[in-house]
Amino acid sequence: MDDVPALRGDGGVRAVVVLTAAGSGSRLGHTVPKALVPVAGTPLVVHALRGLWASGVVDDVVVSVPAEHRDAFERAVRRAVDDATAVGVRA
């Protein structure tokens, strides 16, 4: 996503969101990051991503995650987002 132009094809400004998913989950009594804790069977990070996409104003999302849980976040994101190429998971 480093080479993504600042303007959309229609001349509008691109909106890129950095979603910070760094909470440890320990206060919730979990051993995984808070963003991976399921609510109604779906990880919190997925609820957040779906809300961002539903807004209709977000072009790309970068999810900032703890390095030791990157693989789990990537799996959750890929299962949840139709166009996973528009989402980057970064440790």
Side-chain angles (χ1 to χ4, degrees):
M1 285 195 285
D2 295 336
D3 59 351
V4 174
L7 297 178
R8 294 184 184 148
D10 63 4
V13 177
R14 297 183 61 78
V16 179
V17 172
V18 176
L19 178 59
T20 304
S24 70
S26 61
R27 287 184 294 173
L28 296 174
H30 288 273
T31 58
V32 297
K34 172 174 24 185
L36 289 175
V37 173
V39 173
T42 302
L44 285 168
V45 68
V46 172
H47 287 288
L49 286 169
R50 289 179 177 161
L52 290 168
W53 291 133
S55 74
V57 298
V58 175
D59 295 301
D60 299 297
V61 178
V62 175
V63 184
S64 173
V65 303
E68 63 272 18
H69 296 285
R70 182 177 178 173
D71 291 342
F73 274 98
E74 285 180 341
R75 284 190 302 274
V77 167
R78 297 219 185 290
R79 282 194 303 264
V81 180
D82 292 333
D83 184 10
T85 60
V87 178
V89 177
R90 303 285 185 263

